[in-house]
Amino acid sequence: MRYVTAGESHGRALAAIIEDVPAGIAVDTALIDRDLARRQAGYGRGGRQRIESDRVTVLSGIRFGTTIGSPVCLTVANRDWDNWLDVMASSGIKPVGIAETAPRPGHADLPGALRIGTDDVRDVLERASARETAARVAAGGIAKALLTHLGVSVGSYVQAIGRCSADIDPAAITGDVAEAVEASNVRCPDGTASARMRTEIDRACADGESLGGIFVVTANGLVPGLGGYAQAGSRLDAALGPAMFSIPAVKGVEIGDGFCSAALPGSAVHDEIRYGRQRGFWRPTNRAGGVEGGMTNGEQLVVRCAMKPVPTLARPLGSVDILTHGPVDASRERSDVCAVPAAAVVAEAEVAFVLARAYLDAFGNTSVKDIVAALERYRSRVMP
């Protein structure tokens, strides 16, 4: 199961096509709309979110709320398109004076313009915009729906924004704590840390700055053995890394203790193995983040990502006009001060797709009934 997206930030709509979707997945579009709303929310988001009210429209592949085995096509309309008809017209003669020639440091503007040979960086920035991730979240809703049939849940929370950080145990993100994540406008369950994060965002906004941070994605209910060890491409961590790095502004990814483990001896890094009749194999710690040797080990999956500040600044950095080569201020697109909470929701969709593919590789990809039956046989063999 895989997806492709299409659409520009200020075009008519964003679209996602998901291929190789098994038949029989129960899809509740209200849950996809909920994730789209979660992606739009968050303290520090920009004015664009006051214009858009993202909702998914199903064009194909789902009948009476259930996938039918054909490609699923989803769209998310851009309400702001009405304000950009002259700039984003798909036909006619391009008006004089609308070209954007001041690329932003840290964005795809300049390398993209050089790559495709354009003198208008809007040809690049419209597609490179993080607005595209709304289509990913919609597509991820199909992967999440499949995982629900398999007893797997995917969630996320924010660990840090700027210099403000919270000490949170990923295993604690259940029940009331998970509800606290969703109730927080920075998606952090620690109320004191959340307040500090909001203050940090307010300060950055006043200074014309932007902020990055760290978010964590978790998955519970995974069976051991997903992924592989025999070939490089079959390793689950080899799939999770690129998926996370595909999210705009993500610059660092770790599974479990990741970078911290590099400074520790092996006895303080690896998780001892236990066995119980009711529980089967288990580990008293989860420093590996649920992945060993390229495969799930049955513990909670923990993926942590570092996100840089968004590159559009209210007080822009210096740049160079791509036509005159003279110094200019970088262009100013309507943007966010902080998008870390939103990126965490996008990352949920990406992790869900990686896990869905791992399950389909292991247990078949035609019908949910057959997949669930194969999974139950496997579970009865490897787990009590």
Side-chain angles (χ1 to χ4, degrees):
M1 192 163 73
R2 57 193 179 276
Y3 73 84
V4 294
T5 69
E8 287 76 44
S9 179
H10 297 97
R12 183 188 294 269
L14 299 162
I17 296 177
I18 307 99
E19 297 181 307
D20 295 333
V21 180
I25 301 175
V27 177
D28 184 350
T29 55
L31 294 180
I32 299 178
D33 287 343
R34 175 178 172 270
D35 279 352
L36 288 170
R38 291 167 68 229
R39 177 199 162 276
Q40 284 195 271
Y43 200 77
R45 297 304 303 273
R48 179 73 184 272
Q49 309 313 320
R50 292 190 289 273
I51 297 173
E52 304 296 345
S53 181
D54 291 343
R55 297 289 186 273
V56 69
T57 298
V58 177
L59 298 189
S60 71
I62 298 174
R63 186 166 183 255
F64 299 113
T66 304
T67 59
I68 56 176
S70 53
V72 173
C73 183
L74 307 174
T75 63
V76 178
N78 285 328
R79 294 177 63 184
D80 204 19
W81 180 66
D82 292 338
N83 301 317
W84 290 74
L85 297 178
D86 292 340
V87 176
M88 294 301 295
S90 59
S91 61
I93 299 174
K94 184 177 181 178
V96 175
I98 69 166
E100 183 55 72
T101 60
R104 292 162 292 176
H107 206 283
D109 297 356
L110 180 57
L114 295 174
R115 174 183 171 87
I116 67 173
T118 182
D119 59 5
D120 184 351
V121 299
R122 185 161 300 282
D123 293 340
V124 175
L125 69 84
E126 282 289 330
R127 178 60 184 171
S129 166
R131 174 67 184 158
E132 178 267 345
T133 61
R136 299 198 208 186
V137 171
I142 305 301
K144 283 186 173 183
L146 171 62
L147 293 177
T148 297
H149 285 278
L150 308 179
V152 177
S153 60
V154 179
S156 68
Y157 65 91
V158 170
Q159 177 180 314
I161 289 178
R163 294 167 295 178
C164 297
S165 180
D167 185 11
I168 301 166
D169 179 3
I173 307 297
T174 60
D176 292 343
V177 180
E179 291 179 7
V181 171
E182 300 306 328
S184 168
N185 56 8
V186 289
R187 307 206 70 248
C188 176
D190 184 323
T192 301
S194 293
R196 294 199 307 269
M197 290 174 185
R198 287 189 290 269
T199 299
E200 189 86 347
I201 292 170
D202 289 341
R203 185 180 297 113
C205 183
D207 293 341
E209 285 284 2
S210 60
L211 286 175
I214 298 171
F215 61 82
V216 180
V217 182
T218 61
N220 294 293
L222 298 168
V223 294
L226 296 173
Y229 60 88
Q231 296 291 345
S234 67
R235 298 175 66 92
L236 190 71
D237 35 10
L240 287 167
M244 297 298 96
F245 278 119
S246 76
I247 300 169
V250 167
K251 288 297 185 179
V253 178
E254 65 180 14
I255 298 174
D257 286 355
F259 288 103
C260 293
S261 63
L264 299 172
S267 60
V269 171
H270 303 299
D271 304 302
E272 293 186 335
I273 300 171
R274 302 282 191 271
Y275 183 83
R277 287 184 178 273
Q278 300 300 318
R279 192 172 179 180
F281 295 104
W282 63 282
R283 289 155 179 79
T285 58
N286 188 28
R287 299 160 183 150
V291 179
E292 291 179 310
M295 299 165 290
T296 55
N297 62 12
E299 301 295 329
Q300 181 188 50
L301 177 68
V302 180
V303 183
R304 187 173 287 101
C305 299
M307 180 184 181
K308 71 176 183 179
V310 294
T312 301
L313 303 178
R315 296 180 182 178
L317 295 173
S319 184
V320 173
D321 188 288
I322 62 172
L323 292 180
T324 68
H325 295 173
V328 293
D329 285 341
S331 68
R332 293 181 239 184
E333 294 287 315
R334 186 171 46 213
S335 186
D336 306 315
V337 176
C338 178
V340 178
V345 178
V346 178
E348 288 180 22
E350 290 291 349
V351 168
F353 251 97
V354 170
L355 295 177
R357 283 194 292 266
Y359 270 97
L360 297 181
D361 287 344
F363 303 109
N365 60 4
T366 303
S367 162
V368 167
K369 289 182 180 180
D370 293 341
I371 295 166
V372 170
L375 174 61
E376 289 306 314
R377 288 193 298 271
Y378 177 80
R379 185 180 280 119
S380 67
R381 178 173 67 81
V382 301
M383 303 170 70

